Amino acid sequence: NGYSWSTPAHSKFGISPSKGVPSSPREVRVNVLSNTELGVSWKQPNFSGGDEVAGYKVQWDVDTKFDHSSATVRATQNSTDYFFVVRNLDPFESYFVRVIAYNAQGFSEPEIATHFLMYMNTIMISLIETGGNVDLTETFSIRYTSNQGIQRETNPISVYATSREVENELNIIGIDNAVSVDREDRSNVFDLSGIETNYFDIRYRLSLVGDQDISSISINDENLGSIVPSVDF
């Protein structure tokens, strides 16, 4: 009695790359935009996990449990830099912020944000009228030009618009999740001596998080009447 065996003429092995979760987002930074807002910026992971990164989860909390609040930012094709503005924070609290990348396989390890004072530009828009000739009909629009020469313009905005209304208009034209607007009313009905002046002075401060693709900002003043606009960019 003996033993015999045979081997196939050819052996085939199918090797397919395994897929997994992405690595953590890179260079997660946070800026203080106002006493109730934080700007968060980050870069895409070095490793996608073999599957396309679908988006990012931004989490913030007063402690490191991170069970308080979060938001989702979708990944966009050919984008490496991302920005998000965390709003409606308690001005008397301190916050921890972190960002997590995810794909179809799951979530990356979180990356805690570090404080960073760069990648933020501030633009001041002033609307001033000194003759007392302002009514409820005046409007303006914000026009921006990209570094590639592309121009976009908001819908008409009332001179009495809230900061959130201005933010919404800027989001519509593409400055999305990366702008914070503060409104300041410096108008005076009377001067210090009690004389009526009807001095109209509204300021909008735009804080842009990240390296926004903006070459210039201007105001369309066709419907502003005697109100004089200015932009400090």
Side-chain angles (χ1 to χ4, degrees):
N1 293 331
Y3 297 94
S4 64
W5 66 91
S6 62
T7 60
H10 300 281
S11 297
K12 294 183 178 180
F13 297 92
I15 300 176
S16 59
S18 60
K19 294 183 178 181
V21 301
S23 58
S24 301
R26 298 176 295 119
E27 299 183 27
V28 181
R29 305 287 187 262
V30 63
N31 284 311
V32 177
L33 302 182
S34 71
N35 60 352
T36 61
E37 295 176 316
L38 294 174
V40 186
S41 64
W42 67 93
K43 293 182 180 295
Q44 69 178 14
N46 282 325
F47 175 60
S48 68
D51 212 342
E52 184 177 358
V53 174
Y56 303 88
K57 179 174 285 190
V58 182
Q59 298 179 313
W60 61 94
D61 206 340
V62 296
D63 56 41
T64 55
K65 294 180 180 178
F66 291 102
D67 56 3
H68 176 66
S69 299
S70 66
T72 299
V73 177
R74 301 293 298 177
T76 54
Q77 190 174 13
N78 299 324
S79 292
T80 59
D81 299 288
Y82 291 87
F83 317 99
F84 183 77
V85 176
V86 182
R87 310 180 192 277
N88 302 318
L89 299 174
D90 186 339
F92 300 103
E93 291 282 3
S94 296
Y95 287 85
F96 295 91
V97 180
R98 69 182 186 182
V99 180
I100 302 170
Y102 66 88
N103 60 15
Q105 309 303 315
F107 293 88
S108 73
E109 289 295 319
E111 185 70 19
I112 295 287
T114 58
H115 192 57
F116 199 47
L117 294 177
M118 294 178 65
Y119 297 108
M120 185 172 72
N121 293 317
T122 299
I123 301 169
M124 181 66 76
I125 296 175
S126 302
L127 305 173
I128 298 175
E129 207 280 335
T130 60
N133 299 314
V134 179
D135 55 36
L136 298 176
T137 63
E138 292 93 349
T139 61
F140 67 101
S141 56
I142 302 173
R143 181 188 297 120
Y144 91 85
T145 304
S146 72
N147 292 319
Q148 289 74 38
I150 300 173
Q151 286 193 347
R152 293 182 180 177
E153 187 169 333
T154 66
N155 294 316
I157 302 171
S158 168
V159 294
Y160 296 98
T162 65
S163 58
R164 178 52 59 88
E165 288 171 335
V166 175
E167 284 181 15
N168 290 341
E169 290 298 331
L170 291 170
N171 289 340
I172 290 173
I173 63 173
I175 308 177
D176 194 14
N177 289 333
V179 61
S180 170
V181 178
D182 291 316
R183 180 183 184 273
E184 182 181 359
D185 188 346
R186 300 185 183 180
S187 303
N188 289 313
V189 178
F190 300 94
D191 64 16
L192 295 177
S193 63
I195 298 176
E196 186 175 13
T197 63
N198 292 315
Y199 184 81
F200 181 86
D201 186 348
I202 299 293
R203 312 289 178 97
Y204 293 99
R205 182 169 61 87
L206 282 57
S207 298
L208 302 177
V209 184
D211 189 16
Q212 296 285 332
D213 182 23
I214 298 177
S215 173
S216 65
I217 293 278
S218 60
I219 299 297
N220 183 336
D221 60 357
E222 292 180 1
N223 298 311
L224 274 178
S226 58
I227 297 176
V228 177
S230 62
V231 178
D232 183 10
F233 180 61

